[in-house]
Amino acid sequence: MSTPFYVSPQQAMADRAEYARKGIARGRSLVVLQYADGIVFVGENPSRALHKFSEIYDRIGFAAAGKYNEYENLRIGGVRYADLRGYTYDRDDVTARGLANVYAQTLGTIFSSAGEKPYEVELVVAEVGATPDGDQIYRLPHDGSIVDEHGSVAVGGSSEQISSYLDQRHRDGMSLAEALKLAVQALSRDTNGGEREIPAERLEVAVLDRTRPQQRKFKRIVGRQLSRLLEADGAASTPTDAPSDIEEPDGATPAPAKAPSEAPEAPEASETTEPTETTGKPESKAPEGKDSDKPDGKDTGK
């Protein structure tokens, strides 16, 4: 009878961690950044149906890198947890910290179990507060640990390189256009230091916007709105981006505002009707009569 092969627990955990990291590295990276009005999620995703970013609850967003079927199961579980807790207690009791704890327990249990393989996923749970100081961002690696992040975080294939790039350039109070451009620049850098172009069609962008009047702060940015933000000139375009992107139908309202300035042109239109006035009542032209009534008076008097 042969002796069973022995593997120490430390070696087994190291092998499982290496297996999960390799699976995550095969996926595309994504970035989560804080900006002046909330939190923005940016990632390269050519698919329009399989989303990396999703809404969990009113002020909570979810981002994941790795195997889609595995983090989709985690997302659905998080939505069920949030709905049940908000219905049972209060909507304010659903927080990113509580959701991160639930995800950490699930990932930790699966990672330490010898009966199944570890999940090849890395998660980010973010919650937008009433002020920038109230924003919360938690990163959850494959082993179930929780990392409290501030400012910016990157997960996925080349997350270490992207994180170092963001740490050097990210600052507080950035506009949405500035944060979006910084995220795209970080994602477009190759491992060898070069840069590649990522078109807007291959980007998936979402925000948790604290300025939205709705209770639900999650919103996807697509189409013309995304193109305008990528083409914006940084801080100079910040005041005009928000109203034109969020309330695009109201962008046509400035056009009628030209009516008062065109009002002086109305008398010109009436002046073109002189032939009708002269043919109808030639003596009723008071302005012309005042200008010429002295010479006419002398002629008629004589």
Side-chain angles (χ1 to χ4, degrees):
M1 181 177 180
S2 61
T3 304
F5 184 72
Y6 172 77
V7 178
S8 64
Q10 293 84 358
Q11 185 62 40
M13 290 293 110
D15 292 342
R16 294 172 67 84
E18 184 66 20
Y19 172 83
R21 280 194 294 266
K22 286 183 178 180
I24 297 171
R26 286 192 291 266
R28 293 184 176 90
S29 302
L30 58 90
V31 171
V32 181
L33 292 174
Q34 285 182 276
Y35 70 102
D37 295 331
I39 301 172
V40 59
F41 305 80
V42 185
E44 184 180 1
N45 185 10
S47 175
R48 299 293 90 186
L50 307 180
H51 297 297
K52 292 177 174 290
F53 314 132
S54 301
E55 179 185 22
I56 296 294
Y57 213 59
D58 295 341
R59 310 171 71 89
I60 302 176
F62 171 91
K67 296 193 68 173
Y68 175 80
N69 63 325
E70 294 179 349
Y71 68 69
E72 180 66 11
N73 289 333
L74 294 172
R75 184 193 68 84
I76 294 174
V79 171
R80 291 173 178 171
Y81 160 82
D83 286 342
L84 180 61
R85 186 170 183 83
Y87 179 79
T88 305
Y89 300 101
D90 189 79
R91 300 185 76 90
D92 293 336
D93 292 333
V94 183
T95 62
R97 183 181 303 173
L99 185 63
N101 289 330
V102 173
Y103 281 145
Q105 294 175 9
T106 303
L107 289 173
T109 302
I110 295 174
F111 180 77
S112 59
S113 174
E116 55 183 326
K117 76 173 188 64
Y119 272 13
E120 303 170 50
V121 297
E122 193 169 6
L123 311 180
V124 175
V125 179
E127 178 180 1
V128 65
T131 62
D133 295 336
D135 294 344
Q136 301 178 22
I137 301 177
Y138 299 100
R139 179 173 62 88
L140 293 97
H142 54 273
D143 58 355
S145 57
I146 302 178
V147 183
D148 187 6
E149 301 285 355
H150 298 280
S152 63
V153 59
V155 297
S158 55
S159 58
E160 295 182 0
Q161 177 185 357
I162 295 175
S163 296
S164 61
Y165 183 87
L166 294 175
D167 292 341
Q168 297 173 2
R169 292 165 176 80
H170 181 267
R171 55 181 174 81
D172 296 335
M174 298 179 71
S175 66
L176 178 57
E178 291 173 336
L180 181 57
K181 286 184 177 181
L182 177 60
V184 174
Q185 290 173 1
L187 292 172
S188 61
R189 296 180 65 85
D190 296 330
T191 55
N192 56 4
E195 293 186 3
R196 58 190 178 89
E197 182 180 357
I198 303 178
E201 295 77 14
R202 295 180 62 87
L203 288 174
E204 181 182 356
V205 181
V207 294
L208 289 171
D209 188 357
R210 78 177 94 255
T211 63
R212 296 193 76 193
Q214 298 94 325
Q215 191 172 18
R216 300 171 61 179
K217 306 300 182 182
F218 185 87
K219 176 186 176 182
R220 297 190 184 277
I221 299 180
V222 296
R224 292 184 302 169
Q225 182 180 358
L226 177 58
S227 299
R228 285 198 299 268
L229 287 172
L230 292 173
E231 296 171 359
D233 295 332
S237 63
T238 304
T240 59
D241 284 342
S244 63
D245 293 336
I246 297 175
E247 299 176 357
E248 190 174 353
D250 295 339
T253 54
K258 295 182 180 179
S261 62
E262 295 174 356
E265 297 179 0
E268 296 180 1
S270 64
E271 290 177 2
T272 58
T273 61
E274 285 184 2
T276 58
E277 292 181 0
T278 55
T279 55
K281 294 182 180 180
E283 297 178 357
S284 63
K285 297 177 67 177
E288 295 181 1
K290 288 182 180 180
D291 293 338
S292 61
D293 72 344
K294 286 185 179 180
D296 292 343
K298 291 180 181 179
D299 294 339
T300 54
K302 292 180 180 180

